[in-house]
Amino acid sequence: MKPNSRPPGPAVSVRTAESGNSGIFPFYLFLALMVALLVAGFTVTGCSLSDTEVEEIAQDPTKPVVLVDQTGKRWDITTAVFKYEMAVSGFEFGLGPYAIKPLIEPPLLSPGDINYPPDDTPFQILGVSINGDSRAYGKLDIVRHEVVDEVVGGVPVAVAY
Amino acid sequence: VYSRKIDGRVLTLSASGWTYNRLFVLFDYETESVWYDFGDGGLTCVAGEFEGRKLKERISSYESWERWKASYPVSKLYRAVNTR
């Protein structure tokens, strides 16, 4: 299922991304949303929504599990939850897909270039060498991109920090 | 470092904005499939068009520039412009 597609059924487990960094907050938000959904869509007859009930909803493989990130984008993670046993509560931040942009085949320095650092310059790199093509990526230079989409030695690779 | 070629298609991988258990969850621009590294030798597609498929990990090293250069003297280098 495409992450953006709306789930077919009415009973949907939805979790919305938190804006802060707390690991506990999103679960409360999740609970609050579930209550809101139940009140809006179903008749709640005097029963309180306990943790157990939420778990039951999240463990029913017939119902899609959808995360909503901070940009409103919907991510259908049904297979992640039911086939790969990834816990909904393990997903955090949800900054949106364009908050952290990958580098795509960035220009590189070669030996002899004016800014090519001497061998004893102290910094950490992530290095990859394929088919005689060797490349290093400064750790601090790629960390804010998380991924560099590259072609190394003719092989398309993703350098991920 | 992961391969990003599958079924003859080259994917553009990117951070999804999500983390799972404090590790980045990736997705690809082409199909918006969701990819995660369970520590078993590659990225597993856990949701989306390639669900159940894997992008294999390639050998890479995380080390000092000095040590890397001793092994690969003509290595190219990526550095952001404003860091020296």
Side-chain angles (χ1 to χ4, degrees):
Chain A
M1 233 173 280
K2 290 267 172 66
N4 244 342
S5 65
R6 250 193 126 74
V12 178
S13 299
V14 176
R15 178 174 174 273
T16 304
E18 79 275 28
S19 47
N21 287 356
S22 164
I24 302 165
F25 178 59
F27 188 59
Y28 289 135
L29 198 55
F30 173 54
L31 279 177
L33 255 168
M34 287 312 303
V35 173
L37 276 176
L38 283 170
V39 170
F42 308 96
T43 313
V44 183
T45 51
C47 64
S48 64
L49 189 69
S50 69
D51 290 7
T52 314
E53 284 169 302
V54 174
E55 283 304 304
E56 277 168 8
I57 292 166
Q59 283 175 15
D60 182 348
T62 63
K63 291 164 188 160
V65 182
V66 178
L67 294 174
V68 182
D69 70 24
Q70 292 183 32
T71 66
K73 182 176 173 63
R74 301 168 68 86
W75 300 81
D76 188 325
I77 55 160
T78 309
T79 51
V81 171
F82 294 115
K83 194 167 167 186
Y84 300 93
E85 300 180 336
M86 296 172 86
V88 173
S89 58
F91 286 88
E92 293 184 280
F93 299 103
L95 301 177
Y98 303 107
I100 305 169
K101 291 191 177 108
L103 284 169
I104 299 175
E105 300 185 44
L108 304 173
L109 298 169
S110 297
D113 286 349
I114 191 157
N115 288 325
Y116 193 84
D119 291 3
D120 60 357
T121 310
F123 64 101
Q124 295 294 115
I125 60 93
L126 188 58
V128 58
S129 181
I130 300 173
N131 298 333
D133 186 357
S134 306
R135 301 177 183 201
Y137 299 84
K139 173 195 157 189
L140 297 178
D141 304 288
I142 63 169
V143 69
R144 71 191 180 91
H145 297 282
E146 166 54 12
V147 179
V148 185
D149 288 289
E150 265 292 17
V151 180
V152 182
V155 179
V157 294
V159 179
Y161 174 69
Chain B
V1 176
Y2 311 98
S3 164
R4 56 186 181 96
K5 193 172 180 182
I6 187 166
D7 296 343
R9 293 169 75 181
V10 176
L11 304 179
T12 309
L13 287 168
S14 172
S16 66
W18 293 103
T19 63
Y20 181 76
N21 288 352
R22 306 288 167 177
L23 296 174
F24 281 99
V25 176
L26 304 184
F27 83 119
D28 68 77
Y29 283 178
E30 287 75 15
T31 72
E32 298 201 336
S33 293
V34 181
W35 302 87
Y36 190 72
D37 188 340
F38 289 106
D40 58 353
L43 287 172
T44 301
C45 181
V46 296
E49 183 174 332
F50 292 110
E51 191 271 304
R53 305 288 300 282
K54 217 158 168 178
L55 293 172
K56 276 188 189 158
E57 195 167 357
R58 308 282 306 213
I59 294 167
S60 63
S61 323
Y62 174 56
E63 60 190 32
S64 68
W65 171 240
E66 186 165 23
R67 202 171 152 190
W68 175 256
K69 279 284 298 205
S71 308
Y72 302 98
V74 295
S75 176
K76 292 176 196 148
L77 172 70
Y78 174 75
R79 290 204 96 182
V81 178
N82 58 354
T83 54
R84 287 287 167 259

